[in-house]
Structure formats: structure tokens, C-alpha cells
């Protein structure tokens, strides 16, 4: 069913959109977006992470910032390549779900809605339940 032509390009668009959005957030915290940014640098991102993880010891908040950044690089790269796509989509869905819940608890309902975190999580889970992925390394390796 998911191999049908009318599903191939929307599925590819979904993979690319999720991946690029996540990589953009990483670029922001590393200072690549300059003045057009939310955090602008790692220090501000760490402070923001501490705010979202206020219920954890400060050291775990810092670890959370590094872990989130690592996963926000790993999962999008896997999605772009189409390698371990299902795993990357589920990982992205759960990562964004944790982020949305943390934002809701720490900042209120409006913040994750403004940043479309719930939509990103839902879209990732929708991608994860696809039977087959088009234009992927996964698809090529299944034919060998």
C-alpha cells in the first residue's frame, strides 16, 4: 500500500521536513542562525533545557541538553538517508513527545503548540507506522 506512487512523495516530504526542522533547531543552539534565532548559542540552550527539566538535578539537565542534541542530529540524519527509517521515526516521535510534555509542564500549554512540537511528534509516529519507505537505503537493502 505505501509503495503506491501517490504516497511516495508525501512520505519523502514528511521525512525531509521532520529532519530539516530538527537540524535547524540544532543549528540554532550552535549559533548558526545568528540574530534570527531562538537560543543563538549553546549557553542559552542549556539555560532553556534547565528550565524545561527543572524537576531534575542540574547535572541531569545539562546531560539532557547534550543527549537531546545528539539525538536531534542522529535521528534526522537517519531520516534523510532513509537508513533505519522506522527506528529513527519512532525515536524522533518519542523525543518530541518528551519535549512537548516537558514544555507543557514547565511553560504551559501554549509553548509546545506555538512551536508545533505535538505535530512533529504525531508526524513522526505517522511516519514510523508506514509499511515500506520510498527513496531510502532501507528500501535498497531489502531488495538485495
Amino acid at each position: 500500500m505505501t509503495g503506491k506512487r501517490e504516497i511516495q512523495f508525501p512520505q519523502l516530504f514528511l521525512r525531509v521536513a521532520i529532519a530539516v526542522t530538527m537540524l535547524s533547531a540544532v543549528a540554532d543552539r550552535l549559533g548558526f542562525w545568528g540574530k534570527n534565532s531562538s537560543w543563538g548559542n549553546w549557553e542559552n540552550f542549556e539555560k532553556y533545557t534547565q528550565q524545561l527539566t527543572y524537576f531534575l538535578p542540574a547535572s541531569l539537565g545539562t546531560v539532557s541538553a547534550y543527549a537531546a542534541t545528539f539525538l536531534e542530529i542522529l535521528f534526522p540524519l537517519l531520516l534523510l538517508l532513509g537508513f533505519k527509517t522506522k527506528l529513527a521515526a519512532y525515536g524522533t516521535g518519542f523525543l518530541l513527545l518528551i519535549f512537548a510534555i516537558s514544555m507543557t509542564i514547565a511553560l504551559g500549554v501554549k509553548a509546545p503548540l506555538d512551536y508545533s512540537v505535538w505535530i512533529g511528534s504525531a508526524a513522526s509516529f505517522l511516519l514510523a507506522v508506514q509499511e515500506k519507505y520510498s527513496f531510502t537505503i532501507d528500501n535498497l537493502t531489502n531488495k538485495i
Side-chain angles (χ1 to χ4, degrees), residues 25-108:
V26 172
D28 183 337
R29 71 189 69 152
L30 297 178
F32 294 141
W33 286 123
K35 293 182 181 182
N36 187 26
S37 65
S38 295
W39 304 294
N41 60 51
W42 183 260
E43 182 180 308
N44 290 339
F45 175 69
E46 261 192 75
K47 288 177 188 173
Y48 179 71
T49 303
Q50 293 289 346
Q51 185 180 5
L52 295 185
T53 59
Y54 70 90
F55 50 88
L56 296 175
S59 60
L60 286 180
T62 301
V63 169
S64 296
Y66 283 97
T69 300
F70 172 76
L71 294 174
E72 285 181 75
I73 294 170
L74 176 66
F75 292 147
L77 291 178
L78 292 174
L79 289 174
L80 287 174
L81 293 171
F83 183 69
K84 302 292 184 187
T85 309
K86 188 174 287 290
L87 174 69
Y90 272 121
T92 301
F94 283 114
L95 182 63
L96 290 174
L97 181 61
I98 291 166
F99 187 43
I101 291 168
S102 295
M103 285 179 80
T104 301
I105 292 168
L107 306 174

